[in-house]
Every structure is written in C-alpha cells, then in structure tokens.
Amino acid sequence: MTPYYEAIYSGGADSEQQQKKRLERNAEIEELVAVCMKDQGFEYTPAQPDSQRERDLLNGVESDDEGVEPVSEPDDKAWVEKYGYGIVDFPGRVEIEQQAAAAEEDDAADLGDPYYDSLSESQKAAYDEALHGPTVDKEAVLADENYEYKWEEAGCYGKADHELGDEAGETFDPTEYQDLMDRMTALSDEIATDPEIAALDAEWAACMEDAGESGFTVQADAETSIRAEFDGLYAVSDGGELTEMPDLSPDTNPEVAEIQKRELALALTDLECREETSYWDTWDTVTNDREQDFLDANRAELDAMKLALEQAG
C-alpha cells in the first residue's frame, strides 16, 4: 500500500518534482505581483528563492549543495546508543545549526530594499496594502470561525494567486476518491488495533515495565513522550506562533541535556524490548496481510486514484 499512501501525501509527485513545481509557481506569482504593483504606481523586485540549491533547482542546474539529510537508524544499537530516537541529537545536527546561524547572519547583513526604504511612512503603508491588502488582526482571524479568505482583499499577492489558480485542483477531484481514502485511513486504524498488535504491544509494555520504564501501552508512546517534552521547550503565543527560539543544544542547555539523557536510556530499552518481542517482524506480518487483502479487493480503484494524482501532481 505504500505507493498509494505516498501518492496521496505527495500529491502524486516525488519530493524534488513537487519542490520544483512550487518554486516555478512562486516565480510566476512574483512576476505577476511585479506587474500588479507597477500598475498601482510602485516598483517591485520579484523575490528569489532563499537558497542556492533552490535557485539551481528552479533553473534546472545540478547543484553540489544537497544540504544535510539526517539519517535515522532506530534499529541499530550503536546508533540508538548515540542518538536515541534522533530527537535532541542526530547526524548532521551541528552542520544544520551552523547553516541556520549563517542564514541568520546573511539576513542581518541584508541591505534591504533601497526603493522601499526611500518611501515616506505613508507611502510605505500604501505600498504594503497594495502588496498584501489591508492589515488584519491575525489572532482575531484565527479566533473567528466564520472568517472567509477573499483574494480581492489580499493585495497583489492575492490577485496573482487567483490568476494562476490551482492546477492540481482542476485535474484531480478528491471528492471522487474520498470514500476510498476514508477506507485507507480506517485500514491504518484497524491495523493499529488488531488483536495481534494489541497483544504485541502488551508484551512490549510488560518488557518495558520489567526494565523500569512503566506507563506505556503502545510502542509509539515511548518516542512520543520524549518528543512532547522536547517540543515543550518552544514558547508559543495563544495564536500558536513561536515567540522565542530556545537554545536546543544539549551542549549549552542543561534542560535539553537532561531530556537527551532520558531519551538515550528510554530508546535503548525500547530497542531491547522490540528485539526481545520480535516487534517489527510481527507488526510487518500483520500489516502486510491486512494491506494485501485491502489491495486485492480495491486494486482497480487504487490504481485509478494513483494515476489521477500523478497526472495532477
């Protein structure tokens, strides 16, 4: 079933194709925005992709800058002993932090837009409204259940987005396959609650308790507990916006170091209990059997949906 789930999650396109399509659409929007702003008496320089890799991808140029891709090996004991679940620390973390710091320095060194800076305060306000539409209270919008987005009130960006339309939406109608997708979701839920899986989780939980890690009922709870604690370090407003970026390095933040200590111990015990109960072997057997039954019964419909998504994406 993996190809069908991936088709839904990716819109039918692989990650690089999807990213390139997004960059191409953004470039089209920026050009339309420039025309719209000129019509309203303003100069506007179309924004460019942030990274060199994105610029190369947009222009069809092979790039050596592939970025740092963290690799997870949750079933390798040496990896787990060093990284746990890969939440606090992971391969390439230092490089990613260095890249983020360099990007912040670049932003700080950005000279800005000389044209915009030359405008008076009233002209800047008119420019901003022409570009994005009237200023709105974000928190009020989030709290208003009846709020309805109107492109006519979103400035040149709203106009450009409306003019381009949603190409995928014109060729793929999700309502046509909604029943199938609902059944796929139900299948995932049924597998998670299958009697064999429930018995397996009970066996795993007993092993964890015997090892001093109690309070878990299903295997996923262990990693989730660490992730929830780590995510709790982020300070957010009532509207859900990040208000301050915390220090997430275990080298400089004692609170993070404590979470990492618990993560390493818990992940290692989790791995040992998975091995003792042959957790993934049983899980894979149950999943493969249930998915094969579903695939056999719905193959034509699944293939049609996947094809429609690929043509759209």
Side-chain angles (χ1 to χ4, degrees), residues 5-20:
Y5 286 115
E6 288 181 345
I8 292 172
Y9 298 143
S10 68
D14 66 38
S15 58
E16 188 165 282
Q17 288 177 329
Q18 203 170 29
Q19 186 179 24
K20 188 173 189 294

Side-chain angles (χ1 to χ4, degrees), residues 138-154:
K138 292 183 180 179
E139 294 191 3
V141 167
L142 290 171
D144 184 2
E145 295 180 356
N146 298 317
Y147 174 78
E148 182 180 348
Y149 169 81
K150 296 179 180 178
W151 68 267
E152 299 94 338
E153 299 174 358

Side-chain angles (χ1 to χ4, degrees), residues 212-254:
E213 296 287 1
S214 60
F216 303 114
T217 56
V218 297
Q219 189 274 327
D221 288 348
E223 179 177 349
T224 299
S225 69
I226 298 296
R227 192 168 296 282
E229 189 173 0
F230 186 67
D231 289 347
L233 297 174
Y234 292 89
V236 296
S237 67
D238 292 339
E241 293 185 355
L242 182 66
T243 58
E244 183 180 354
M245 187 63 189
D247 175 9
L248 300 177
S249 172
D251 303 322
T252 54
N253 187 333

Side-chain angles (χ1 to χ4, degrees), residues 114-244:
Y115 170 75
Y116 184 81
D117 293 341
S118 71
L119 300 177
S120 66
E121 291 304 312
S122 61
Q123 289 173 326
K124 286 180 180 177
Y127 179 100
D128 292 340
E129 183 166 339
L131 188 59
H132 298 291
T135 302
V136 297
D137 184 336
K138 292 183 180 179
E139 294 191 3
V141 167
L142 290 171
D144 184 2
E145 295 180 356
N146 298 317
Y147 174 78
E148 182 180 348
Y149 169 81
K150 296 179 180 178
W151 68 267
E152 299 94 338
E153 299 174 358
C156 285
Y157 269 112
K159 183 174 184 291
D161 195 57
H162 175 72
E163 286 183 16
L164 282 182
D166 185 354
E167 295 178 3
E170 295 172 2
T171 55
F172 178 76
D173 179 8
T175 60
E176 183 178 351
Y177 297 98
Q178 190 59 54
D179 179 64
L180 175 63
M181 290 189 284
D182 289 344
R183 280 181 278 136
M184 292 172 70
T185 300
L187 173 65
S188 298
D189 295 338
E190 289 168 9
I191 291 172
T193 56
D194 184 280
E196 285 190 63
I197 298 298
L200 178 64
D201 276 321
E203 186 181 358
W204 170 87
C207 173
M208 293 289 285
E209 188 166 4
D210 289 344
E213 296 287 1
S214 60
F216 303 114
T217 56
V218 297
Q219 189 274 327
D221 288 348
E223 179 177 349
T224 299
S225 69
I226 298 296
R227 192 168 296 282
E229 189 173 0
F230 186 67
D231 289 347
L233 297 174
Y234 292 89
V236 296
S237 67
D238 292 339
E241 293 185 355
L242 182 66
T243 58
E244 183 180 354

